Amino acid sequence: MMENGGYVGQYGDDGGYMEQEEEWEREGLLDPAWEKQQKKTFTAWCNSHLRKAGTSIDNIDDDFRNGLKLMLLLEVISGETLPKPDRGKMRFHKIANVNKALDFIASKGVKLVSIGAEEIVDGNLKMTLGMIWTIILRFAIQDISVEEMTAKEGLLLWCQRKTAPYKNVNVQNFHLSFKDGLAFCALIHRHRPDLIDYSKLSKDNPLENLNTAFDVAEKYLDIPRMLDPDDLINTPKPDERAIMTYVSCYYHAFQGAQQAETAANRICKVLKVNQENERLMEEYERLASDLLEWIRRTMPWLNSRQSDSTLAGVQKKLEEYRTYRRKHKPPRVEQKAKLETNFNTLQTKLRLSNRPAYMPTEGKMVSDITNAWKGLEHAEKSFEEWLLAETMRLERLEHLAQKFKHKADTHEDWTKGKEEMLQSQDFRNCKLNELKALKKKHEAFESDLAAHQDRVEQIAAIAQELNTLEYHDCASVNARCQRICDQWDRLGVLTQRRCQGLDEAERILEKIDLLHLEFAKRAAPFNNWLDGAREDLVDMFIVHTMEEIQGLIQAHDQFKATLGEADKEFNVIIGLVRDAEAIVKQEQVPGGLVNPYTTLSADLISRKWSEVRALVPQRDQTLANELRKQQNNEMLRRQFAEKANAVGPWIERQMDAVTAIGMGISGSLEEQLHRLKEYEQAVYAYKPSIEELEKIHQAVQESMIFENRYTHYTMETLRVGWEQLLTSINRNINEVENQILTRDSKGITQEQLTEFRSSFNHFDKNRTGRLAPEEFKSCLVSLGYSIGKDKQGDMDFQRILAVVDPNSSGYVQFDAFLDFMTRESTDTDTAEQVIDSFRILASDRPYILPDELRRELPPDQAEYCIQRMPPYKGPNAIPGALDYMSFSTALYGESDL
């Protein structure tokens, strides 16, 4: 290091030896043992160079006094020729020669303070040692530079790095750190492990360690012994000049290995990038395969529309679907987000390392996963809609089946014994009045039969509806309906036949009992009305809205309004019976109390009327219970709507805020990342609101509520919005992290990044996160990029467009735009740099051997190269030779994955 034309040494700005010695003497730090160590070390160092000229020195303070060997030493170490020496033996001849040597040293930019030729000629040991140290500094140590440090600091750092992996070695200085000899042994073992077995050395044997290092260095590395082991061990603080001189010989001996290490470091850096990229590719392939396989396995279940056609079976499927949405799908949503994040990170790392973009295996593109995911969501929506529709259908079927059974039971109870009665010939032995009674009785039956026609039609209609809705037990329903219809036809035929028989006998029997007949005529329709009223009062119903239950209540109120007229009719009918009883009692008519025209009795009518009146308040209670149920349903609708109307806008606001941050409109990338992570925490903190809404939604579904006029939000839209919000936050965090990675890797400033983002946003009018080609061109021009309006300018722009939009999508994404702008002003490692590094390790050969790779690179990276390098097939190839050139080129070409 040069300053003001003079050499800046390690012991003063001008390298002055005497001034430093005087300072040490004042501080009481000068150790006489140092002078002894310097004398021995400097003598050995001088002889290591003088032997190249066929000579040596024995006594450093005597053998340089005439200046001849001093001049010879300078010629050997500098490779230059000094002026011709004076050959006389007089004192002034010696002084002249020493001055020639000192002048040559000064010509190399070294200031010699307080060192004169007379002191050297007079054999002043301190001055001579100071002069030799100055020469060592200038010609052996000054050129040592590690990370732009001074010579001493650079040499110390070199020692620290080389000995870092070794046990019991901690180099902190050039005196105490080398006393036990392990540091010397470590330096040799690091570069020539074949010369020393370091594992057998012990910190407790410093003398053995020092002798081992000095002997091996002298025998195999051509470094003479410059230090005395006993002096080092017995001196409390050995002289660092002597040790620095000796250590500098190690540095120069291993200088070639230093170049190889630099080359190996560059190769390791490149290989680590490739290995990490391949790991990310394999992880992406694994995650994509797993997610796609899960979707493939799930789709048949969601697409299945098979059920056992029972309400319990469909409700079980609905619960399974809720379990799927609550437990099985959320981890897959996270997996999909992680997959997209890993893919974006991988592409960013590939761009930053000057590698081509990663193309996943066919069928595993991000677009393929997105399409499969959309198909899954569509299948989920269709499946849930089917389940709800099937629930409504089966509930309706169960209601109809119960209604069919009730009406069929009622009808079959009425028809019991009717066929036997119609087939009876009892009228042939009757008296006139008895026959007339039978005739009237049959007329009443025909009226009753006609009244039951509507019930039979209702039974048939219900059976038809059950068939249309595909009731699971249609066979038994149809069989029973057929039996009822067949019996109804037989009753019609039998009724007609009996009527004909009675008409034939009517010519004989004429007298009728008008009073009984009137009772029969009035009692039959009233009895039918009672049966109908009773059936309506116990009729089952199903409603889903307040309007429907209120309609039933209104109809029931209207029915109750008719009870007054019915009570009057009841009193009239009972009055007829009482009148008949009075006449029979008054006239003493035998058997006159028996009404020959009907099987109905006053007791029966009275009992049925009492039942109807008792059923009215029961119906009131049933309708009131249903009204409360619908009111509860209405409350659930309002609860869901109130919560949904809060959650929905919250999700939309969060989505808008995240989108705004993603546009990078304000703040540094770190600030944007911090805000995004705050939003991420806020979103996860808000999750209990979603879960609470899910619970309300489950209660809504369990209550069979299928519409809600209080909100336009559905649970499905809120689920999708929630998942989209999480995905958007993760994607924006990933994009900002990749931008930080790009900024830091490429060395661009926050101001540059802000300028790039502002320009991009200015031309991204619709805030889509992408630019059309013309918008992109305008953006480049605004940043000072020169694009001509002529044909050549169009060609240049098309070349740029091919770089930022390699898939010809018609748009430029921000990450591609940022990558292009940073690449314009930054540099990355290239294939040529890697080839040059391999060439150093291969000693300039066009091929490299496996053993050389294992020696120079870490084990995993050496094997990585050996497995992937093709055999070298060029001239002078030897067995096992590997082609590092094509391998290096392939690192920057298409990936194997």
Side-chain angles (χ1 to χ4, degrees), residues 466-482:
L466 286 170
N467 277 273
T468 302
L469 295 177
E470 299 178 356
Y471 181 57
H472 69 93
D473 196 16
C474 279
S476 61
V477 169
N478 292 338
R480 189 173 188 184
C481 182
Q482 188 62 46

Side-chain angles (χ1 to χ4, degrees), residues 845 847-857 859 861-863 865-867 869 878-883:
R845 297 193 309 271
Y847 59 82
I848 194 167
L849 299 176
D851 288 344
E852 292 173 328
L853 290 171
R854 292 189 176 101
R855 183 176 69 245
E856 301 293 346
L857 300 179
Q861 296 191 344
E863 296 305 319
C865 292
I866 294 169
Q867 293 174 7
M869 279 189 185
I878 64 174
L882 300 175
D883 185 355

Side-chain angles (χ1 to χ4, degrees), residues 494-757:
L494 293 173
T495 299
Q496 187 176 4
R497 290 176 183 174
R498 184 170 179 82
C499 183
Q500 292 172 353
L502 289 173
D503 286 342
E504 184 179 353
E506 189 177 14
R507 293 188 303 273
I508 303 170
L509 303 176
E510 295 178 351
K511 189 176 181 180
I512 64 171
D513 188 339
L514 292 178
L515 198 55
H516 283 312
L517 180 59
E518 183 67 15
F519 172 82
K521 288 182 178 180
R522 283 182 175 269
F526 188 69
N527 180 66
N528 286 333
W529 179 85
L530 287 173
D531 288 342
R534 181 179 181 279
E535 188 172 338
D536 289 340
L537 288 171
V538 298
D539 187 28
M540 292 177 289
F541 58 85
I542 179 171
V543 296
H544 294 98
T545 66
M546 286 289 294
E547 290 76 8
E548 291 176 351
I549 185 60
Q550 288 170 349
L552 290 177
I553 293 174
Q554 183 179 2
H556 184 59
D557 291 340
Q558 292 173 353
F559 166 76
K560 289 193 292 184
T562 67
L563 292 178
E565 290 298 323
D567 187 59
K568 292 179 181 180
E569 181 66 11
F570 170 75
N571 289 329
V572 170
I573 292 172
I574 296 302
L576 289 173
V577 174
R578 290 173 181 167
D579 289 345
E581 290 176 348
I583 293 172
V584 169
K585 183 177 181 181
Q586 182 179 355
E587 301 297 335
Q588 297 294 314
V589 178
L593 292 178
V594 178
N595 193 325
Y597 306 114
T598 181
T599 60
L600 297 175
S601 66
D603 291 339
L604 177 63
I605 296 299
S606 297
R607 179 175 58 79
K608 288 187 176 182
W609 175 244
S610 298
E611 288 180 359
V612 168
R613 295 179 65 181
L615 287 173
V616 170
Q618 294 179 16
R619 184 71 167 184
D620 287 336
Q621 185 62 44
T622 300
L623 291 173
N625 291 340
E626 183 61 31
L627 178 62
R628 285 194 295 275
K629 175 184 175 183
Q630 292 303 323
Q631 288 172 338
N632 180 66
N633 289 354
E634 194 73 0
M635 180 191 69
L636 285 176
R637 290 188 183 95
R638 293 179 183 275
Q639 284 182 349
F640 179 84
E642 180 182 0
K643 194 67 177 179
N645 289 338
V647 171
W650 186 88
I651 291 176
E652 292 163 1
R653 291 194 301 272
Q654 301 300 106
M655 184 66 78
D656 292 341
V658 170
T659 300
I661 296 174
M663 296 302 296
I665 296 175
S666 63
S668 65
L669 290 178
E670 284 75 14
E671 292 171 340
Q672 295 174 28
L673 183 61
H674 178 70
R675 290 203 301 274
L676 283 171
K677 290 188 175 180
E678 286 181 341
Y679 274 106
E680 183 181 33
Q681 293 176 357
V683 168
Y684 281 114
Y686 199 72
K687 190 174 184 183
S689 295
I690 300 295
E691 293 172 346
E692 180 182 353
L693 195 58
E694 285 281 7
K695 292 178 181 178
I696 299 174
H697 177 64
Q698 181 172 346
V700 166
Q701 286 194 331
E702 289 173 350
S703 298
M704 299 300 174
I705 301 173
F706 302 106
E707 82 294 326
N708 194 337
R709 63 180 177 274
Y710 301 114
T711 181
H712 66 277
Y713 293 104
T714 66
M715 196 65 236
E716 179 63 27
T717 60
L718 294 175
R719 288 188 194 118
V720 172
W722 177 260
E723 293 171 0
Q724 288 177 345
L725 176 59
L726 287 176
T727 301
S728 177
I729 291 175
N730 289 330
R731 182 172 61 250
N732 278 284
I733 288 175
N734 178 245
E735 289 177 356
V736 172
E737 289 175 340
N738 287 340
Q739 290 175 27
I740 292 174
L741 180 61
T742 300
R743 181 196 67 191
D744 297 342
S745 301
K746 297 296 186 177
I748 62 174
T749 64
Q750 180 64 44
E751 289 74 17
Q752 288 176 305
L753 190 62
T754 301
E755 182 183 7
F756 294 156
R757 171 54 87 176

Side-chain angles (χ1 to χ4, degrees), residues 46 50 57 59-71 73 98 120-121 128 131-132:
C46 292
L50 287 173
I57 61 173
N59 193 337
I60 196 169
D61 50 344
D62 287 335
D63 292 352
F64 285 138
R65 293 175 66 177
N66 60 9
L68 296 177
K69 289 189 178 180
L70 180 60
M71 294 178 67
L73 174 66
V98 173
I120 305 302
V121 172
T128 302
M131 176 189 66
I132 297 302

Side-chain angles (χ1 to χ4, degrees), residues 182-395:
L182 289 179
F184 292 118
C185 293
L187 286 174
I188 296 173
H189 185 269
R190 179 63 183 269
H191 296 90
R192 291 291 302 278
D194 55 311
L195 299 180
I196 290 179
D197 186 352
Y198 188 86
S199 63
K200 294 183 177 180
L201 302 179
S202 171
K203 191 176 182 67
D204 299 329
N205 298 318
L207 184 61
E208 179 182 343
N209 298 338
L210 290 167
N211 280 318
T212 298
F214 297 164
D215 291 343
V216 169
E218 185 172 37
K219 182 176 181 181
Y220 297 102
L221 304 178
D222 199 27
I223 300 175
R225 276 180 172 259
M226 299 183 183
L227 301 172
D228 188 313
D230 292 326
D231 290 343
L232 291 178
I233 293 172
N234 297 324
T235 303
K237 184 177 181 181
D239 178 56
E240 67 175 359
R241 294 182 181 181
I243 295 177
M244 281 179 65
T245 301
Y246 185 55
V247 171
S248 70
C249 295
Y250 281 67
Y251 177 88
H252 292 295
F254 297 132
Q255 193 169 15
Q258 185 70 19
Q259 294 178 348
E261 181 178 353
T262 300
N265 288 338
R266 174 179 286 275
I267 293 170
C268 288
K269 175 185 175 183
V270 172
L271 294 180
K272 283 180 180 178
V273 170
N274 257 52
Q275 289 173 311
E276 175 62 15
N277 290 343
E278 289 182 7
R279 185 191 66 77
L280 289 176
M281 292 176 194
E282 291 170 357
E283 183 177 6
Y284 175 86
E285 292 284 332
R286 178 182 61 77
L287 289 176
S289 298
D290 180 63
L291 182 58
L292 289 172
E293 174 62 20
W294 176 79
I295 293 175
R296 184 191 66 78
R297 294 195 311 268
T298 304
M299 287 296 286
W301 173 64
L302 291 175
N303 290 328
S304 172
R305 298 297 183 265
Q306 298 295 322
S307 72
D308 58 2
S309 297
T310 65
L311 184 61
V314 174
Q315 288 175 337
K316 181 181 179 183
K317 275 185 172 289
L318 184 60
E319 184 57 35
E320 290 174 353
Y321 177 72
R322 291 180 183 136
T323 301
Y324 157 80
R325 286 307 303 252
R326 186 172 60 254
K327 294 183 179 179
H328 301 303
K329 189 183 178 188
R332 297 298 177 172
V333 173
E334 296 177 6
Q335 182 179 359
K336 177 175 177 290
K338 180 181 180 183
L339 193 67
E340 294 173 352
T341 298
N342 288 359
F343 182 82
N344 293 334
T345 300
L346 172 60
Q347 298 293 40
T348 299
K349 288 189 175 183
L350 289 171
R351 288 197 308 272
L352 296 178
S353 59
N354 203 22
R355 271 59 166 188
Y358 164 57
M359 291 295 293
T361 303
E362 183 177 358
K364 297 178 184 176
M365 300 284 289
V366 173
S367 59
D368 296 324
I369 294 171
T370 299
N371 291 335
W373 191 262
K374 288 180 179 177
L376 178 73
E377 290 177 335
H378 177 73
E380 289 173 349
K381 185 174 183 296
S382 299
F383 188 54
E384 186 172 22
E385 290 174 350
W386 173 76
L387 285 172
L388 295 177
E390 190 70 0
T391 300
M392 293 178 66
R393 184 181 74 84
L394 292 175
E395 187 182 44

